[in-house]
Amino acid sequence: MGPTRKPNVCSRLSRRALGCFSRDAGVVQRTNLGILRALVCQESTKFKNVWTTHSRSPIAYERGRIYFDNYRRCVSSVASEPRKLYEMPKCSKSEKIEDALLWECPVGDILPNSSDYKSSLIALTAHNWLLRISATTGKILEKIYLAPYCKFRYLSWDTPQEVIAVKSAQNRGSAVARQAGIQQHVLLYLAVFRVLPFSLVGILEINKKIFGNVTDATLSHGILIVMYSSGLVRLYSFQTIAEQAKNGIQEMDCCSLESDWIYFHPDASGRIIHVGPNQVKVLKLTEIENNSSQHQISEDFVILANRENHKNENVLTVTASGRVVKKSFNLLDDDPEQETFKIVDYEDELDLLSVVAVTQIDAEGKAHLDFHCNEYGTLLKSIPLVESWDVTYSHEVYFDRDLVLHIEQKPNRVFSCYVYQMICDTGEEEETINRSC
């Protein structure tokens, strides 16, 4: 017989949480997650690439499940090798799923059907149907048609697990209309729904006559976030912030090809995350002194990229006459040869901010995933990704408890998925658990 295999740390802690160690089960769970957080951040912990797979269609990830073939095939990412959970029947191109969100049963609510107490996938199809699909079997539980006048393409949470925002593709107008000089004033639509069952809250039209020369918009926590090409971001609320907000317009001092992005912090603290190529700002809404009806936006903390502190370079050239000419030019803030932030996410159970930073070295890009304290922004751990990072293609990185998952698009529409799992030294792991208890 071979050596006895030690159980996975994350699985062991999850099993322990089911035991009767306290009258309040939440105390045990919080203790366990505190132990896991300490294990993740300790210096000796490594993340090892345990398996890699490739696909001709986009790959997606949601809470321990990896989706292939436009969400048609579901595989567990928890095991040390791929394990299929379900596979839906093949469908036409118009019926394929374009985007999806994982909905999990709310605690304490009485729901109409027994199937509603299990997790489900809220999915958007290519022909504008909104579906709710069982996350364990792939069965369609609910469906609703959106609208015929635009192409809806993206899903996001307005209020996590309660209200979703369905965003349309941007309206570029037909080639004939552009040639005729006809302007398209409506950039996109945002349809807002409550979940379980689906019920329409309203459809918002992002019109350039109203918002100006807007480039994009999204909805989060009841706040409409409108972005402009100049780097300007405006925050709107239909109740209070439009009339009572100070510093509601945020600008990031950066010069880059890619625009910065801004969204509400997923930790429900009311803070805002504003990400640029070389800095991550965590902002907070605070009441104005002596005026509780008004609020202002101020910095909570800032995470800066690790780069040399210069924004311009000098180039020396020699003319035919032998005269030396010095030319100075400014570097872009997202220059690939400097460390640049690409992805910022939040691990809610471990209360950690995860930040992906990339540096182009010669012809190859190298990336690392950094864990920061969510309260103060302190760097706690950095994990190098072994595979190269091509900045010309799209990437997604997920950090979920003891798992890191990197999905990338390669040339010729090949998608790759790299799964990393946490590896601890046996002696140090036992010592850390005993000390934390």
Side-chain angles (χ1 to χ4, degrees):
M1 291 179 63
T4 304
R5 190 172 181 183
K6 191 167 184 179
N8 176 275
V9 173
C10 190
S11 300
R12 186 172 63 188
L13 290 177
S14 296
R15 288 196 298 271
R16 178 183 167 191
L18 299 175
C20 300
F21 300 106
S22 169
R23 291 183 180 179
D24 180 7
V27 171
V28 180
Q29 179 69 351
R30 286 193 295 272
T31 301
N32 288 342
L33 292 173
I35 295 170
L36 181 57
R37 190 180 195 266
L39 288 172
V40 165
C41 294
Q42 72 181 7
E43 189 176 350
S44 62
T45 300
K46 309 294 181 188
F47 279 77
K48 180 183 178 183
N49 181 207
V50 291
W51 58 271
T52 300
T53 188
H54 308 280
S55 171
R56 283 286 179 183
S57 61
I59 304 172
Y61 174 79
E62 287 282 356
R63 288 287 187 185
R65 298 176 176 92
I66 305 174
Y67 296 93
F68 298 90
D69 303 330
N70 299 106
Y71 294 89
R72 196 175 62 85
R73 185 162 57 94
C74 179
V75 170
S76 172
S77 67
V78 178
S80 58
E81 58 184 26
R83 180 172 61 87
K84 186 168 79 172
L85 297 178
Y86 67 81
E87 186 168 350
M88 297 171 68
K90 290 186 177 181
C91 61
S92 66
K93 206 169 186 179
S94 65
E95 295 175 307
K96 73 174 184 178
I97 296 173
E98 297 212 327
D99 201 4
L101 296 171
L102 185 68
W103 178 85
E104 296 176 298
C105 169
V107 178
D109 288 3
I110 298 175
L111 304 176
N113 302 306
S114 58
S115 61
D116 297 338
Y117 288 94
K118 297 181 180 179
S119 299
S120 54
L121 202 66
I122 297 174
L124 175 65
T125 68
H127 59 341
N128 277 4
W129 280 88
L130 192 63
L131 311 178
R132 189 166 65 86
I133 302 168
S134 168
T136 53
T137 65
K139 179 183 176 183
I140 296 176
L141 305 174
E142 191 178 355
K143 61 189 299 186
I144 186 171
Y145 184 68
L146 294 175
Y149 51 80
C150 65
K151 165 71 173 167
F152 285 99
R153 185 165 289 171
Y154 311 102
L155 290 177
S156 62
W157 289 111
D158 176 24
T159 304
Q161 303 299 314
E162 293 181 17
V163 181
I164 58 170
V166 191
K167 186 163 83 169
S168 74
Q170 293 194 5
N171 184 12
R172 304 295 183 186
S174 65
V176 175
R178 289 196 299 268
Q179 288 175 359
I182 300 174
Q183 292 185 343
Q184 296 290 336
H185 297 295
V186 178
L187 179 71
L188 55 87
Y189 294 88
L190 286 167
V192 183
F193 286 86
R194 296 190 182 277
V195 295
L196 205 66
F198 289 138
S199 59
L200 179 66
V201 176
I203 297 180
L204 183 64
E205 182 182 272
I206 305 301
N207 194 311
K208 293 182 179 180
K209 284 185 175 180
I210 298 171
F211 294 101
N213 195 22
V214 57
T215 58
D216 201 4
T218 188
L219 197 63
S220 178
H221 292 75
I223 305 297
L224 176 64
I225 303 172
V226 180
M227 286 152 274
Y228 299 82
S229 58
S230 61
L232 183 71
V233 177
R234 284 190 172 132
L235 307 180
Y236 294 89
S237 169
F238 297 109
Q239 296 179 355
T240 57
I241 293 185
E243 298 84 19
Q244 304 165 343
K246 189 176 176 180
N247 297 338
I249 297 176
Q250 290 291 307
E251 291 188 78
M252 182 165 284
D253 183 20
C254 65
C255 178
S256 61
L257 295 176
E258 295 184 10
S259 61
D260 51 321
W261 70 97
I262 190 169
Y263 57 96
F264 275 90
H265 199 308
D267 68 355
S269 63
R271 294 183 296 174
I272 298 168
I273 297 178
H274 192 183
V275 184
N278 61 345
Q279 57 183 311
V280 177
K281 290 184 178 181
V282 177
L283 311 169
K284 58 185 178 182
L285 282 168
T286 56
E287 290 183 356
I288 294 178
E289 192 176 353
N290 301 325
N291 191 347
S292 60
S293 65
Q294 288 195 329
H295 293 73
Q296 64 181 351
I297 295 175
S298 57
E299 281 187 6
D300 196 8
F301 61 82
V302 180
I303 299 171
L304 298 175
N306 183 20
R307 52 171 62 178
E308 295 180 10
N309 190 25
H310 60 81
K311 295 198 66 174
N312 53 25
E313 286 192 356
N314 296 322
V315 175
L316 299 178
T317 56
V318 181
T319 65
S321 62
R323 188 166 60 95
V324 177
V325 178
K326 183 170 73 171
K327 292 183 179 179
S328 178
F329 63 93
N330 292 328
L331 291 174
L332 291 173
D333 285 308
D334 59 350
D335 185 276
E337 294 185 358
Q338 302 183 89
E339 184 176 89
T340 304
F341 294 138
K342 294 294 184 181
I343 298 171
V344 177
D345 204 356
Y346 173 63
E347 215 298 339
D348 57 345
E349 294 184 299
L350 303 184
D351 196 30
L352 291 172
L353 276 177
S354 60
V355 180
V356 177
V358 180
T359 306
Q360 190 83 12
I361 303 171
D362 296 327
E364 190 176 77
K366 281 296 180 184
H368 55 89
L369 175 64
D370 295 340
F371 299 153
H372 292 263
C373 170
N374 184 45
E375 187 175 1
Y376 303 109
T378 311
L379 176 63
L380 301 176
K381 190 174 185 64
S382 185
I383 300 169
L385 300 183
V386 295
E387 63 275 9
S388 62
W389 185 292
D390 190 337
V391 295
T392 59
Y393 291 94
S394 63
H395 297 259
E396 295 174 66
V397 175
Y398 300 93
F399 169 45
D400 192 355
R401 288 193 175 188
D402 67 335
L403 181 85
V404 171
L405 188 137
H406 174 205
I407 298 172
E408 69 167 338
Q409 180 182 346
K410 291 185 173 181
N412 301 319
R413 282 191 61 81
V414 173
F415 298 85
S416 297
C417 177
Y418 307 89
V419 178
Y420 293 75
Q421 282 189 336
M422 186 176 78
I423 306 294
C424 282
D425 178 80
T426 304
E428 292 189 9
E429 175 187 318
E430 290 293 340
E431 182 184 346
T432 302
I433 292 175
N434 292 333
R435 187 170 61 249
S436 300
C437 290

